[in-house]
Amino acid sequence: MADKTMVKGNEAMAEAAIRAGCRLYFGYPITPQSEFTEYMAKRLPEVGGSFLQSESEVSAVNMVYGAACTGRRVLTSTSGPGFSLMQEGMSYIAGAELPSVFVNVVRGGPGLGDIQPAQSDYFQATKGGGHGDYHAVVLAPGTIQEAVELVHDAFDIADKYRTPVIILADGMLGQMMEPVVFGEFRNLESLSDHLSWSLTGAKNREPHKVTSFNIDPYELEKMNMRYQEKYKKIIANEILYETSNMEDADFALVGFGTMGRILGSVIRRAREEGIKVGLFRPVTLWPFPYDALREAVADKKFVLDVEMSTGQMIEDVRLAVGDSLPVHFYGRTGGVVPNPDEVLRVLKERIEEVK
Amino acid sequence: MPTVKTFKPPKSLSGKEFTYCPGCQHGIVHRLIAEIIDELGIQERTIMVAPVGCSVFAYEFFDVDGTVAAHGRAPAVATGMKRSLKDSVVFTYQGDGDLAAIGTAEIVHAANRGEKITAIFINNAIYGMTGGQMAPTTLLGMKTSTSPYGRAAENDGYPIHVCELLKETGGVAYLERTTVNTPQEIRKTKKALKKAFTAQLEGLGFSLVEVLSTCPTNWGMSPVEATEWLEENMKKEYKVGLFVDKVGDEK
Amino acid sequence: MREHVLVASGFGGQGIMLLGQILATAAMVDNKFSTWLPSYGPEMRGGTANCTVVISDEHIGSPVTDSPREAIVMNIPSLLKFEERIQPGGLLVINSSVVDREPERKDIEIVKVDANKIAERLGNIRAANMVILGAYLAKTGAVSEQSVEKALKMKFGGKKDSIVDLNMKALRAGAEAIKN
């Protein structure tokens, strides 16, 4: 087995990006993700990469756009307020079909909010924070090990579909440390070169034009339908989720990312008390695992969705489950992280109602 | 022997028909840029970043790789390209709203970093594509659809002087303000453009050429009246001339 | 399943974060699961800082807790904040060089260590965090002494061995201090 390293989430994701073949980083410091930017500043020159601290997140996302135009792996990282500033560029990147990876280490909002962990950027990430008919793939890691692996996946998905991919983390995952086994360094030669469309100078070929622009509505509609075809393929091929203790469970907990892992503790304690409860944890938030969730909870008495927000993923959970069984919600917001005891208490209250 | 010279379009223009109004000077500047790309032999490694504005289609008019940036963000997009492909030649083409209003942060910081890109800045003192609204470079007293009583300093502030601002940033290698109203001025602009691209090719830093231009349509004048108005009014506000030259004379 | 859930808390500069990282890393060396979660933000800049360490034989769900089984407090604000949250039957380790106040709980085990004085005697007051970690480990056996040494070497890799030696001396002195 490869060596384990004790490492901070932000730094682990940054190292994973480098191992995945990312040699270009543009970003702006913001708590609680700044260690990501700092790590890249130190590490990228060591591997022949290019690091630039931009003047704003608005510029950072457009530098990502420019770098992605050249067909090379590029990443930026930020937190809520910075991610809001990036939404304009995100929309252009989706429209121009540029492979790129974004890490949002979410903090409490709205506005300046605070710097504690939150999941209240779910809508922004999954429903498209920018304008137009587009989606970004959204991956939600629950542990640092999973975050490292999803960073590799994120670049592969971005390249395969020419799409932006978001890693939706949170302040806890960014700031905490746990043992991690890093993946191998990707051979840069093995990466997709994107030479059929990228902007590298029109040598011995016709010039390439990469834009999100078409003034003719019929043509723009065609472009949009092409994006939708791509999204269908992503939905068919890329959905990820994890279930645990579901087979004999009477009740189902649903949570993603950090909340998903905390629910693991709730389930352990509940089962010690004889309560049969299981967990469904979506890993791709877009595409959302509607069918898998519906099937997983079909024979349960109820679903309890727990989030570090006032209830955002709950809308997708309800879409998946429909009216077939009750869907309850529990959330804390503003940077407050629900602890296992309080979730267990809420779970027991809901069970009492059923009795 | 009599020689016959055929007037040919530069290779680096795609041949696509321009979408500009009669009397608009975008076409002149496009042609000059294409001639310079040809003369420097850099067509195969040039990438252009078009803006949002009348020249939003510029990426179609040049026979080089190209994209359109979000409004004002061209210098950031160009930065990303150049940092990725250090041997490429990257230029932005931006109007006054794009470069001097919404994109002020991007142009100032690209210049200050000495980003090895070239920006062509078309200053016609008005928003063209959206239909004649006030620009940051609109002259005091000038009437536009959003300054219907004339631009007033107490409400709208003053015409912004981009070259004067940028000349103080450390990363600028070449900076000049020109016009294309007369054949002599066109030749001068071409020289400036050549130096600006040379600054990039020699890795000296950031370069920008500001071209004072007419917008007969939105100024509500004939093309000839527009050139006269530019001479009499714009040149008073915006002094043409060289601000920074780290390139030196042609060898 | 054996699980340790510790909150360590003190002034910024007392080495609380490092204490937690060394403990979590030592657990990794012991092939256990572990997490280290810092309090972060303005409170890191000079005020009271704390971190939560979870060590387990199984996958760790929650890296955060409102009711730790164990607490290390290096100053009075930390005592006031965390004493009441410790689970009944839990453990409270106090740096008595700084905390000149008696805890009130009767349903938890309380251990006091004169950590600053012991560290000063060893030649560097900054090793007080390792003195108190030594006392904690003597009580809980959460990780082995050898693993702490390996964790210190990982952390200070490349620097002088004397740093590791001093910290190990402090760790042992802490363990010794609570035997008497």
Side-chain angles (χ1 to χ4, degrees):
Chain A
M1 195 174 113
D3 279 349
K4 280 189 282 187
T5 325
M6 197 73 184
V7 57
K8 240 183 186 203
N10 282 329
E11 295 176 348
M13 288 187 280
E15 176 64 26
I18 285 168
R19 288 175 187 241
C22 173
R23 294 292 179 276
L24 297 161
Y25 177 93
F26 305 92
Y28 188 86
I30 183 170
T31 310
Q33 74 77 46
S34 292
E35 296 86 358
F36 202 125
T37 312
E38 290 165 354
Y39 190 88
M40 285 305 211
K42 185 164 183 290
R43 191 81 171 88
L44 271 172
E46 292 175 357
V47 294
S50 178
F51 167 89
L52 180 58
Q53 179 171 326
S54 60
E55 61 270 24
S56 69
E57 287 90 348
V58 174
S59 290
V61 71
N62 285 286
M63 290 168 183
V64 168
Y65 178 108
C69 278
T70 68
R72 295 178 64 208
R73 289 192 161 183
V74 57
L75 177 144
T76 186
S77 58
T78 185
S79 182
F83 198 55
S84 290
L85 284 174
M86 289 184 183
Q87 293 313 303
E88 174 199 53
M90 183 74 101
S91 170
Y92 280 72
I93 281 171
E97 300 185 88
L98 294 170
S100 46
V101 177
F102 294 77
V103 177
N104 181 358
V105 183
V106 182
R107 58 189 246 182
L112 192 53
D114 63 18
I115 55 173
Q116 301 305 316
Q119 298 184 321
S120 43
D121 295 359
Y122 179 93
F123 283 152
Q124 184 187 42
T126 61
K127 312 296 178 188
H131 56 283
D133 267 338
Y134 79 91
H135 279 291
V137 176
V138 184
L139 307 173
T143 65
I144 299 179
Q145 183 65 49
E146 190 179 32
V148 161
E149 288 158 16
L150 288 178
V151 166
H152 283 263
D153 293 345
F155 280 105
D156 289 341
I157 292 169
D159 273 345
K160 185 173 170 190
Y161 299 97
R162 287 185 60 186
T163 186
V165 179
I166 300 165
I167 305 273
L168 197 68
D170 64 65
M172 184 177 290
L173 199 73
Q175 291 297 318
M176 68 184 281
M177 288 175 119
E178 62 185 330
V180 167
V181 179
F182 284 110
E184 297 294 316
F185 282 88
R186 284 290 293 270
N187 176 359
L188 298 185
E189 302 298 315
S190 74
L191 301 177
S192 178
D193 58 18
H194 298 299
L195 285 179
S196 65
W197 60 267
S198 60
L199 307 184
T200 55
K203 189 169 186 180
N204 303 322
R205 61 160 170 80
E206 287 299 304
H208 291 158
K209 312 289 179 182
V210 174
T211 75
S212 60
F213 178 52
N214 202 309
I215 202 80
D216 178 343
Y218 297 100
E219 290 302 316
L220 186 60
E221 185 181 47
K222 277 186 205 160
M223 278 166 69
N224 266 284
M225 295 323 287
R226 197 176 71 229
Y227 307 154
Q228 294 303 318
E229 284 306 311
K230 171 165 79 180
Y231 297 151
K232 277 183 200 155
K233 282 186 195 142
I234 295 174
I235 291 167
N237 298 329
E238 306 298 342
I239 286 177
L240 290 173
Y241 57 90
E242 184 193 72
T243 59
S244 67
N245 294 286
M246 282 295 271
E247 280 189 9
D248 68 337
D250 296 322
F251 316 101
L253 294 174
V254 181
F256 71 91
T258 286
M259 202 59 241
R261 79 177 287 165
I262 292 174
L263 293 179
S265 293
V266 175
I267 285 165
R268 197 175 294 158
R269 285 182 209 182
R271 288 204 166 245
E272 280 167 13
E273 297 183 26
I275 302 169
K276 286 183 181 170
V277 59
L279 172 67
F280 187 96
R281 182 172 69 89
V283 175
T284 48
L285 302 180
W286 194 92
F288 190 82
Y290 292 107
D291 294 341
L293 175 57
R294 180 164 46 247
E295 283 160 28
V297 302
D299 61 342
K300 310 304 174 205
K301 294 200 171 93
F302 65 69
V303 169
L304 174 59
D305 170 57
V306 189
E307 299 178 48
M308 285 145 57
S309 74
T310 53
Q312 300 197 7
M313 184 176 72
I314 183 77
E315 296 192 357
D316 286 320
V317 173
R318 288 205 174 107
L319 271 178
V321 176
D323 294 331
S324 54
L325 64 156
V327 177
H328 300 299
F329 175 75
Y330 182 70
R332 299 295 298 271
T333 189
V336 180
V337 181
N339 67 59
D341 294 334
E342 66 183 294
V343 178
L344 184 58
R345 198 172 59 240
V346 172
L347 174 66
K348 286 178 182 170
E349 284 168 14
R350 295 300 177 219
I351 292 172
E352 277 306 308
E353 288 168 7
V354 178
K355 277 180 184 165
Chain B
M1 275 273 286
T3 57
V4 179
K5 266 197 171 177
T6 317
F7 187 73
K8 279 191 200 153
K11 262 190 344 164
S12 296
L13 281 182
S14 66
K16 208 163 251 187
E17 211 170 296
F18 290 156
T19 44
Y20 303 115
C21 303
C24 170
Q25 295 177 331
H26 272 308
I28 298 172
V29 181
H30 280 23
R31 186 190 166 96
L32 293 178
I33 293 168
E35 286 177 359
I36 294 301
I37 292 173
D38 287 357
E39 286 172 25
L40 293 171
I42 54 175
Q43 185 183 8
E44 290 181 339
R45 54 185 177 123
T46 297
I47 308 174
M48 90 152 298
V49 186
V52 171
C54 282
S55 48
V56 67
F57 289 111
Y59 71 98
E60 295 277 8
F61 302 144
F62 290 90
D63 202 34
V64 299
D65 279 4
T67 188
V68 187
H71 198 21
R73 316 298 176 219
V77 169
T79 296
M81 290 170 166
K82 188 73 182 195
R83 296 273 174 149
S84 176
L85 293 179
K86 294 191 168 37
D87 290 335
S88 60
V89 179
V90 184
F91 77 94
T92 70
Y93 188 97
Q94 304 175 258
D96 42 46
D98 195 87
L99 184 141
I102 196 167
T104 317
E106 284 78 6
I107 198 69
V108 168
H109 287 280
N112 193 52
R113 284 192 303 267
E115 213 60 63
K116 293 167 189 69
I117 60 173
T118 301
I120 317 299
F121 170 37
I122 306 299
N123 178 2
N124 58 13
I126 202 155
Y127 280 66
M129 188 176 71
T130 45
Q133 294 83 9
M134 185 178 68
T137 49
T138 292
L139 305 185
L140 288 175
M142 186 173 162
K143 286 183 181 172
T144 72
S145 65
T146 51
S147 57
Y149 310 107
R151 181 177 190 162
E154 62 172 4
N155 193 60
D156 309 315
Y158 296 86
I160 197 162
H161 295 191
V162 169
C163 286
E164 286 80 352
L165 270 173
L166 292 186
K167 79 177 197 309
E168 299 301 328
T169 62
V172 176
Y174 191 80
L175 187 60
E176 183 165 0
R177 182 183 288 129
T178 68
T179 69
V180 286
N181 256 358
T182 65
Q184 292 87 334
E185 285 170 330
I186 289 171
R187 276 198 290 277
K188 229 176 165 185
T189 298
K190 186 172 172 181
K191 263 188 196 160
L193 289 169
K194 188 166 192 175
K195 279 204 160 181
F197 276 97
T198 304
Q200 178 175 178
L201 288 169
E202 292 183 358
L204 299 174
F206 176 85
S207 52
L208 181 144
V209 178
E210 173 176 348
V211 185
L212 302 180
S213 306
T214 57
C215 181
T217 300
N218 287 301
W219 289 358
M221 299 172 196
S222 73
V224 174
E225 285 167 353
T227 54
E228 285 162 4
W229 193 87
L230 186 148
E231 288 295 326
E232 284 160 23
N233 298 281
M234 281 191 75
K235 275 190 173 173
K236 266 187 206 139
E237 181 71 35
Y238 301 108
K239 302 283 179 233
V240 297
L242 183 63
F243 291 85
V244 177
D245 182 2
K246 295 180 187 167
V247 181
D249 292 328
E250 236 176 314
K251 285 150 211 160
Chain C
M1 181 195 67
R2 288 185 37 214
E3 190 169 83
H4 294 275
V5 182
L6 165 74
V7 171
S9 182
F11 289 124
Q14 282 184 312
I16 282 294
M17 295 301 178
L18 181 65
L19 180 161
Q21 285 179 13
I22 294 297
L23 178 60
T25 308
M28 175 184 82
V29 174
D30 278 346
N31 272 320
K32 291 178 178 171
F33 292 95
S34 63
T35 59
W36 172 86
L37 176 70
S39 60
Y40 60 91
E43 58 188 331
M44 271 174 72
R45 322 260 186 262
T48 292
N50 71 74
C51 62
T52 306
V53 176
V54 181
I55 299 171
S56 177
D57 295 333
E58 292 181 23
H59 260 293
I60 294 167
S62 177
V64 64
T65 183
D66 266 6
S67 50
R69 296 197 188 169
E70 299 139 3
I72 289 173
V73 298
M74 300 279 278
N75 65 6
I76 290 171
S78 301
L79 178 73
L80 297 176
K81 188 170 178 183
F82 291 109
E83 183 190 355
E84 59 180 6
R85 299 191 191 175
I86 299 168
Q87 288 178 22
L91 172 70
L92 173 61
V93 184
I94 298 174
N95 179 1
S96 58
S97 316
V98 180
V99 180
D100 57 354
R101 179 187 290 234
E102 285 301 310
E104 289 166 7
R105 292 278 292 269
K106 302 294 174 213
D107 60 341
I108 54 174
E109 185 179 359
I110 288 161
V111 173
K112 294 180 186 174
V113 190
D114 204 351
N116 287 21
K117 195 178 272 179
I118 293 170
E120 266 180 331
R121 210 174 54 221
L122 292 172
N124 193 335
I125 194 172
R126 290 177 64 189
N129 60 344
M130 288 298 131
V131 174
I132 207 127
L133 179 61
Y136 166 82
L137 289 178
K139 274 287 160 195
T140 61
V143 297
S144 64
E145 192 185 298
Q146 298 91 308
S147 298
V148 173
E149 188 162 4
K150 278 188 190 155
L152 284 166
K153 281 180 180 159
M154 285 180 191
K155 187 76 191 174
F156 297 111
K159 290 186 189 166
K160 281 181 287 184
D161 289 344
S162 61
I163 296 178
V164 175
D165 290 345
L166 170 71
N167 278 295
M168 287 307 292
K169 264 184 208 155
L171 191 86
R172 288 182 198 118
E176 201 59 36
I178 61 161
K179 280 183 188 161
N180 306 329

